[in-house]
Amino acid sequence: MDNDSKLSVSRRRYVGSVTAGLTGISLAGCTGTENQATGTESTGDTGSSDGTAGDKADTFVVGSSSKPSTLDIHKATRRPEETVLSALHEPLFRLNENKEPVPHLAADYSVNEDATEFVFQIEQGVTFHNGDELTAEEVVYNWERFVENSPSSYLLSPAKAFEATGEYEVTVTFDAPYPLLPRYLTDPLTGFVSKRAVEEAGESYGQDIAVGTGPYQWKNWEHGTAIVLSKFEEYGWGPEFAANQGPGNPEQFRFEIHPEATTLLNELTSGGVHGSSYITLSDTKEVEQADSTNLIRKQYTRPGYLAINVEKKPTDNVHVRRAITHAVRKQPVIEAALGGEGYPIWSIVPPVAVNALDEEKAKELGQTVSQEKARKELDAAGWTNSKQGEVRTKNGEELKLTFYAFTIPRYKKMGKVVAPLLGEVGIKAELEILEAGTLYKNLQSGNHNITTMAYGGNWAVNALEPILKGENTATEGGTNYSLWQNDEFDSLLEKAKTSPEQATREQAILDAQKVVLEEVPVTPICAFNKVYGHKKSVSGTDSWTEHPWWPDQEWLNRLELDV
């Protein structure tokens, strides 16, 4: 967003332009189990009103493969928590269908010219599940609590102060420009809890109760088995770009835990689960072919790649790193590791992410697959052999790489495909499959040359910072497993985050991606598809998946879906 002048954006003024683009979308109504788009009654073998298994059609059962550890939104770290919390809580901003942050629980906001001061007007009439109103004081309490407790606190920690400057007005100040604040305030973990509920529950908050402003409220948690949420009837502030802006359609959502992939698959295709985004990619065809279920898929922004240790010989040599990238054919990895549920990428930032470098430009800068180019790069580094496929040597030493991969099937398979591909150009990749604890210990020690990895974001700047910024190296406890430190890249990344000018930010992040392609601290391979399997009796999926990032907009299906 440009900040060339004092900027004020109104949530209500935005409604006309957004809803016009959604004309013609139909889905189930706001309440009850009647499908108002068709006028027919929904059926399903869902749970009973007390959250247990039964034959009533008022409970939507969500299948998950992993259990949450807490439902305190300011202490949560993992997707299983976010899946549930997205129904309980809401952030101040939402991403619209153009991938832009727009006010949600904010009615309006303004920002000064250098993006060091933001003034937010809080939407009046928004209440927590316990009846307390969302006021400026509640917002300040929440943001201070988030900074103190959340693993994602870095999103707001640069703030100098949060101040309630009116009953429904909050002013946030920074010492340096922070133009991406509205974007960061779309993060689901920045949602709001009731101060009174936290204080009354004490240490049991997030285990015995959680109170937010979302379309569903806490009912009970059968630890290790299921979490049940019931409809918040007073809810009426869904975003303008959602067809349903009131309470969700089902009376309840029941989040069931099925750790075994086979069990979850069976529950979806022939059991009580109505929908799941946890279906393993290798099971997608079974969901697609079953008589009772449908499968939705979409290209996603999460990349699978090789992190290349630039500090350890021989991958400290850029020619060797380029050779690795040229040697890895992408499609065999996609087929073996993802069952075909992915697509090739030519830059570490997938093309569907915001501010991603153009695919053709990425190829032009060295990301093409070519064994001939790989061999020429190795020759340039002094590694030679007498015939193709023979391990290359230099000064009597073999070209060997220490190659680590996760025990998680997709990463293990990725390693098993990549190693022989490297062997075809004369690189001996000694693959070790390690469980997570051992793997991370070795990565933090810098014992590897290459490792399989997946880590990404929906915006280029957020995708690049954790995995490549110098201060985030694994040896310092971060997720930069390439141990790469490049001052030019870090400077461009900082400019992309802090320049008040949008054009300057966008050019900086494009230039940062070019530096990555030139220096090759990573080998991009593929990005994953995201999938959602659901019973054919489920309606509302079409409008939910209209959002270009529907896999990350878990909260929207709480409003749109019905059975």
Side-chain angles (χ1 to χ4, degrees), residues 13 33 40 126 200 284 298 307 344 353 363 421 430 455 463 478 498 513 562:
R13 286 198 299 271
T33 60
T40 59
V126 174
E200 289 177 353
T284 55
K298 187 174 285 190
K363 290 181 181 179
L421 293 176
E430 299 180 323
Y455 202 115
T498 62
Q513 292 170 77
D562 197 5

Side-chain angles (χ1 to χ4, degrees), residues 174-294:
F174 298 85
D175 288 327
Y178 205 65
L180 301 185
L181 179 61
R183 177 191 299 182
Y184 294 150
L185 291 178
T186 67
D187 189 292
L189 296 179
T190 62
F192 301 101
V193 301
S194 161
K195 178 181 179 181
R196 178 165 65 92
V198 172
E199 291 176 344
E200 289 177 353
E203 292 184 1
S204 66
Y205 187 85
Q207 298 294 325
D208 297 335
I209 191 67
V211 179
T213 65
Y216 285 83
Q217 59 189 337
W218 177 288
K219 184 163 187 177
N220 66 288
W221 185 353
E222 306 160 23
H223 285 269
T225 303
I227 295 168
V228 182
L229 307 181
S230 61
K231 182 188 297 188
F232 181 36
E233 296 289 359
E234 287 74 28
Y235 186 84
W237 42 89
E240 287 87 351
F241 55 87
N244 176 11
Q245 296 169 28
N249 297 325
E251 292 297 321
Q252 298 186 143
F253 268 88
R254 177 180 171 88
F255 300 86
E256 289 188 352
I257 315 303
H258 298 288
E260 295 296 327
T262 302
T263 304
L264 178 56
L265 176 64
N266 290 338
E267 284 295 320
L268 178 63
T269 56
S270 57
V273 167
H274 291 104
S276 178
S277 57
Y278 286 80
I279 300 301
T280 60
L281 296 181
S282 59
D283 288 335
T284 55
K285 288 182 175 58
E286 291 193 47
V287 176
E288 216 165 14
Q289 294 169 2
D291 293 335
S292 62
T293 52
N294 287 330

